């Protein structure tokens, strides 16, 4: 049973936490790049989304270097990546900021990918999910590590109809790339 946020098409919000980042000396937080593990895990996240038939129509991505690199490596796994909007509001955002960005999504977008940071992404997923399949909610509550993917589903005439407690958390996965 899918929790309804109203009438309208099924919308999927795919939440992807950026892959593992490096901590180089003297580099500002916003400019931190992916670590070697992050460069392995980001493509694995892209492959996992393709295998789950969960490719987005649009991506919203934080402007932080590690988030942008996650997007580039994940989307390179797809034949034709969707449009992406790099939104500075998604860096150091709170749940309200994230939800505002989601609400602004055009109604023709049915699957939206949101790439950002913790703890805000965990808070967003838990705020939106009224229910979860299997143990998905508990797994997000326990830990939403780097490169984790959460998929929320809700019906609504537009993205503005997505409200706290009105989505179903259908999936939570943590893809990992293979060490070379």
């Amino acid at each position: 049973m899918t929790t309804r946020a109203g009438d309208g098409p099924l919308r999927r919000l795919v939440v992807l936490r950026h892959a593992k980042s490096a901590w180089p000396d003297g580099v500002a937080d916003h400019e931190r790049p992916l670590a070697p593990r992050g460069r392995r895990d980001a493509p694995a996240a892209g492959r996992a989304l393709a295998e789950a038939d969960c490719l987005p129509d649009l991506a919203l991505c934080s402007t932080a270097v590690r988030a942008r690199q996650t997007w580039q490596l994940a989307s390179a796994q797809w034949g034709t990546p969707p449009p992406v909007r790099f939104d500075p509001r998604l860096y150091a955002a709170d749940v309200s900021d994230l939800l505002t960005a989601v609400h602004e999504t055009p109604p023709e977008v049915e699957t939206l990918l949101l790439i950002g940071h913790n703890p805000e992404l965990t808070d967003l997923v838990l705020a939106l999910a009224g229910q979860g399949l299997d143990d998905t909610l508990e797994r997000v509550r326990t830990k939403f590590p780097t490169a984790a993917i959460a998929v929320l589903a809700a019906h609504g005439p537009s993205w503005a109809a997505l409200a706290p407690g009105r989505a179903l958390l259908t999936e939570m996965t943590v893809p990992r790339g293979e060490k070379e």
Side-chain angles (χ1 to χ4, degrees):
M1 176 178 118
T2 301
T3 303
R4 288 203 171 252
D7 293 326
L10 177 65
R11 299 183 184 281
R12 294 185 301 177
L13 175 61
V14 180
V15 177
L16 171 60
R17 183 175 174 201
H18 67 77
K20 183 73 173 171
S21 60
W23 294 84
D25 289 337
V27 175
D29 183 72
H30 188 272
E31 305 307 312
R32 290 191 297 118
L34 291 180
R37 188 178 100 198
R39 289 193 298 274
R40 289 190 308 267
D41 292 348
R47 288 188 298 274
L49 290 173
E51 290 166 6
D53 194 25
C54 205
L55 295 181
D57 302 311
L58 175 69
L60 301 178
C61 184
S62 163
T63 56
V65 169
R66 60 194 179 274
R68 292 173 68 102
Q69 289 176 335
T70 298
W71 158 253
Q72 291 164 349
L73 293 168
S75 66
Q77 304 303 305
W78 312 328
T80 304
V84 60
R85 294 183 185 163
F86 297 103
D87 190 333
R89 297 175 299 174
L90 303 181
Y91 176 75
D94 61 20
V95 170
S96 177
D97 297 327
L98 295 173
L99 202 49
T100 295
V102 169
H103 284 168
E104 294 170 356
T105 301
E108 61 272 12
V109 172
E110 292 183 357
T111 300
L112 175 65
L113 174 62
L114 178 66
I115 303 171
H117 312 271
N118 247 7
E120 296 82 6
L121 290 183
T122 296
D123 295 342
L124 177 70
V125 170
L126 294 176
L128 292 174
Q131 300 176 48
L133 294 180
D134 303 319
D135 65 345
T136 54
L137 276 170
E138 185 56 35
R139 291 178 60 217
V140 170
R141 278 188 198 103
T142 301
K143 187 173 184 180
F144 196 64
T146 55
I149 299 168
V151 180
L152 295 148
H155 287 273
S158 70
W159 285 96
L162 185 59
R166 302 296 299 231
L168 175 67
L169 182 59
T170 62
E171 188 170 340
M172 193 284 200
T173 186
V174 185
R176 293 293 183 224
E178 297 292 322
K179 289 185 181 181
E180 294 180 4

